[in-house]
């Protein structure tokens, strides 16, 4: 299987579902890319758990202010009305249910909505960190990820084998091949690449994909 979306295209597709006026937390790394693709005419207020609300795009190279960084230690800019606050206040926002959506990466997502996005391995993030608060504090939790691992194993599985970040928390997964909802502890296929057959998609998915109604074509621009 050669055709698949790039990380930028996956991020673009996820960005299209951010509602106007939403308060959004983007996970460290790949999910940070989502901020670049906010649909024109919609406002999204981006939150970083180290204490900034309403930050903007990354500054041009060489113009970084390293006193202004996100939780991934990447340089950010500020939008009008941005605010700073203590780390504890930031987590009060998270735990208090004040975020509309959290978008994170994943090693595994189970059909019951369990998420594993950290690892105890030598190259993994050494601790679960704030993600465990985000996945149970945000009103909606979405995952963006390649559909399979680098060695071709499914990332969408029946049950996670890695340490869990959260239990039953994920509601939608945007992958390099499809958009999948989690409903009643099952994977429900919403969109797939037009040239990809359902059988081929199922072959690289570690749990059954249910079809409920029409499956849309996953069409994204070159970004």
């Amino acid at each position: 299987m050669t055709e698949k979306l790039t990380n930028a295209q996956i991020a673009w597709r996820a960005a299209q579902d951010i509602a106007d006026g939403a308060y959004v937390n983007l996970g460290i790394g790949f999910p940070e890319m989502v901020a670049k693709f906010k649909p024109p005419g919609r406002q999204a207020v981006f939150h970083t758990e180290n204490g900034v609300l309403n930050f903007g795009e990354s500054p041009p190279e060489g113009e970084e202010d390293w006193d202004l960084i996100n939780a991934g230690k990447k340089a950010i800019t500020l939008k009008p009305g941005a605010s700073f606050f203590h780390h504890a206040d930031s987590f009060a926002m998270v735990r208090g249910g004040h975020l509309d959506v959290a978008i994170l990466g994943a090693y595994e997502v189970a059909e019951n909505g369990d998420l594993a996005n950290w690892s105890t391995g030598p190259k993994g993030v050494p601790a679960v960190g704030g993600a465990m608060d985000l996945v149970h504090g945000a009103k909606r939790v979405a995952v963006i990820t390649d559909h399979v691992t680098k060695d071709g194993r499914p990332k969408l599985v029946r049950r996670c084998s890695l340490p869990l970040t959260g239990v039953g928390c994920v509601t939608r997964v945007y992958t390099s091949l499809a958009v999948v909802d989690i409903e009643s502890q099952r994977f429900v296929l919403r969109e797939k690449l037009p040239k990809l057959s359902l059988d081929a998609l199922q072959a690289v998915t570690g749990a059954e994909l249910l079809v409920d109604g029409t499956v849309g074509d996953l069409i994204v621009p070159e970004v």
Side-chain angles (χ1 to χ4, degrees):
M1 185 181 302
T2 56
E3 182 184 358
K4 67 176 187 176
L5 301 185
T6 65
N7 282 359
Q9 288 175 315
I10 301 169
W12 179 92
R13 177 61 189 86
Q16 307 316 298
D17 289 343
I18 296 176
D20 186 33
Y23 287 81
V24 183
N25 184 284
L26 302 176
I28 293 172
F30 170 23
E32 294 170 343
M33 197 181 296
V34 172
K36 294 172 55 178
F37 302 114
K38 179 180 65 68
R42 292 190 213 167
Q43 181 184 19
V45 181
F46 290 109
H47 165 275
T48 178
E49 59 261 38
N50 59 317
V52 186
L53 195 64
N54 206 22
F55 65 88
E57 295 183 1
S58 300
E61 187 174 353
E63 298 181 21
E64 299 91 347
D65 179 347
W66 292 108
D67 287 328
L68 298 178
I69 59 172
N70 62 17
K73 300 181 181 179
K74 304 246 180 69
I76 56 174
T77 57
L78 302 177
K79 295 181 180 178
S83 59
F84 304 93
F85 33 86
H86 192 278
H87 196 106
D89 294 322
S90 179
F91 274 84
M93 293 179 191
V94 174
R95 295 167 181 166
H98 302 290
L99 295 180
D100 294 298
V101 59
I103 302 176
L104 302 95
Y107 289 124
E108 295 175 327
V109 180
E111 63 180 352
N112 65 352
D114 291 353
L115 170 66
N117 83 332
W118 68 288
S119 172
T120 56
K123 295 184 179 180
V125 176
V128 63
M132 66 179 182
D133 297 277
L134 286 165
V135 297
H136 291 296
K139 296 171 186 173
R140 181 171 75 88
V141 175
V143 163
I144 59 175
T145 180
D146 203 333
H147 202 87
V148 298
T149 64
K150 291 180 180 178
D151 56 2
R153 291 181 293 108
K155 285 192 165 190
L156 276 62
V157 295
R158 291 190 184 279
R159 292 293 179 268
C160 293
S161 60
L162 294 170
L164 294 184
T165 305
V167 174
C169 54
V170 179
T171 55
R172 174 164 277 202
V173 185
Y174 303 89
T175 83
S176 50
L177 303 177
V179 177
V180 178
D181 282 341
I182 295 174
E183 297 179 356
S184 302
Q185 301 194 354
R186 303 294 296 272
F187 287 135
V188 180
L189 180 61
R190 296 302 182 197
E191 300 175 12
K192 66 175 181 63
L193 294 179
K195 295 181 181 179
L196 180 66
S197 71
L198 180 57
D199 287 343
L201 180 62
Q202 183 64 75
V204 291
T205 306
E208 182 183 2
L209 290 168
L210 298 182
V211 174
D212 180 13
T214 302
V215 176
D217 288 336
L218 178 53
I219 298 175
V220 303
E222 295 292 333
V223 292

